[in-house]
Amino acid sequence: MGVVERLGSGPGGVSRKTSFSPVVDMSTRVLILGSLPGDASLAAGRYYAHPQNQFWRLLSPVVGVDLPALEYVDRLAALQAAGIGLWDVVASATRPGSSDAAIRDATANDVAALIATLPALRLVAFNGGTAWKAGRALVQGIETLALPSSSPLHTVGAAAKQPAWDAIGTHLRSA
């Protein structure tokens, strides 16, 4: 799971943060890649744990399950049952706070190696501009989709984001 390691001492010290393990299985048809978990997610040890993050609400209509009403382990199970996997583009980086704009000294996850293990994969979707910019070069030979960020720092309302997120459903239903 994600880790926060303090580098340096005092107020000038910087935290090196590490992403979570991928949540995928052999039936993953859509892989959603974020950038790097924020502080609330790292503290909770869960993807998209910040209460204002719209991720679970945006995916609920896509999978037909009220994801926010479920316990975390059941949310992950519902995504996997629908064919959706999760991971992050950034394996580790220094970043004060949770803003993607503050990510420095990033090391990428081996996205291509993970994709090679997913025979049913049809789409790699990027949750937000940072994930898209950092990750699109890591994906070859498969369709990609840039999604508006689910982060509370991306202040566009969920209703405006929903049509883009709904496009994931097409890849879950396609043969």
Side-chain angles (χ1 to χ4, degrees), residues 90-145:
V90 177
S92 69
T94 56
R95 179 180 66 192
S98 296
S99 172
D100 282 355
I103 291 174
R104 300 287 182 268
D105 304 317
T107 301
N109 273 317
D110 194 347
V111 174
L114 178 67
I115 288 171
T117 69
L118 303 173
L121 192 66
R122 302 289 178 262
L123 174 73
V124 175
F126 295 93
N127 183 0
T130 299
W132 169 252
K133 289 174 193 159
R136 68 180 176 214
L138 304 174
V139 177
Q140 302 294 319
I142 192 159
E143 188 174 347
T144 59
L145 175 65

Side-chain angles (χ1 to χ4, degrees), residues 7 15 17 22 26 33 35 54 66 71-72 75 94 98 117 134 145 151 153 159 161 164 168-169:
L7 306 174
S15 296
K17 299 170 181 177
M26 299 316 281
L33 297 174
S35 55
Q54 300 167 336
D66 183 6
E71 294 295 324
Y72 180 69
R75 290 177 184 182
T94 56
S98 296
T117 69
L145 175 65
S151 168
L153 297 176
K161 297 175 187 180
I168 292 170

